[in-house]
Amino acid sequence: DWGLRVGPRLEWLRAPLVSAERYREVAGVIDVERLHRGDWWSFTPEAGWRQYERSASTLSLSDPDLHSSYLFIAGEGFADVGLPGSLRARVSGSGRLEQHEDASQNATSLYFSLDLRRNF
């Protein structure tokens, strides 16, 4: 009832019309999951580097440098569990910390959701 996946994640965004949005990202990811007696638990931490492309057009005045490359750590969690009285709780959340080359773009985010359901 346990699952474990570990490995790299590669992402490449091509944006032909907006060169400032183009990037490549590499991250290490661990995905832990448990399905047990009707309950589902999942947790996925990751860490990596996003490198924005730099070109002559990216650095021109007509197409400003909107992003700086950054190091990040992030995590996502999810649980769907049974509660007494035919109730179920679904909880999800994610957080991310970004450390940019341009410190004025550093960012932190945290999202959380709770859903209570009644089984009929």
Side-chain angles (χ1 to χ4, degrees):
D1 57 3
W2 283 93
L4 175 66
R5 291 178 291 278
V6 178
R9 182 179 55 77
L10 305 171
E11 188 174 317
W12 178 28
L13 178 67
R14 296 181 66 232
L17 299 178
V18 185
S19 62
E21 294 294 331
R22 297 177 191 160
Y23 67 82
R24 291 190 173 131
E25 183 173 292
V26 61
V29 181
I30 300 171
D31 187 14
V32 180
E33 202 169 58
R34 184 169 191 209
L35 296 169
H36 184 71
R37 296 184 181 173
D39 294 344
W40 180 16
W41 297 84
S42 174
F43 179 63
T44 307
E46 67 178 301
W49 176 258
R50 178 176 289 185
Q51 179 71 46
Y52 283 94
E53 289 185 13
R54 300 291 184 248
S55 65
S57 65
T58 305
L59 300 175
S60 72
L61 293 176
S62 62
D63 193 8
D65 189 12
L66 300 175
H67 306 286
S68 69
S69 299
Y70 61 88
L71 179 68
F72 67 90
I73 57 172
E76 294 183 6
F78 175 84
D80 186 297
V81 297
L83 300 173
S86 297
L87 292 175
R88 291 198 68 78
R90 183 172 286 179
V91 180
S92 63
S94 66
R96 184 175 179 100
L97 176 65
E98 299 175 1
Q99 188 85 30
H100 287 256
E101 290 177 328
D102 174 359
S104 70
Q105 295 181 18
N106 288 350
T108 304
S109 61
L110 180 62
Y111 300 94
F112 178 81
S113 173
L114 171 63
D115 184 18
L116 292 175
R117 300 167 181 224
R118 184 169 188 279
N119 294 330
F120 293 97

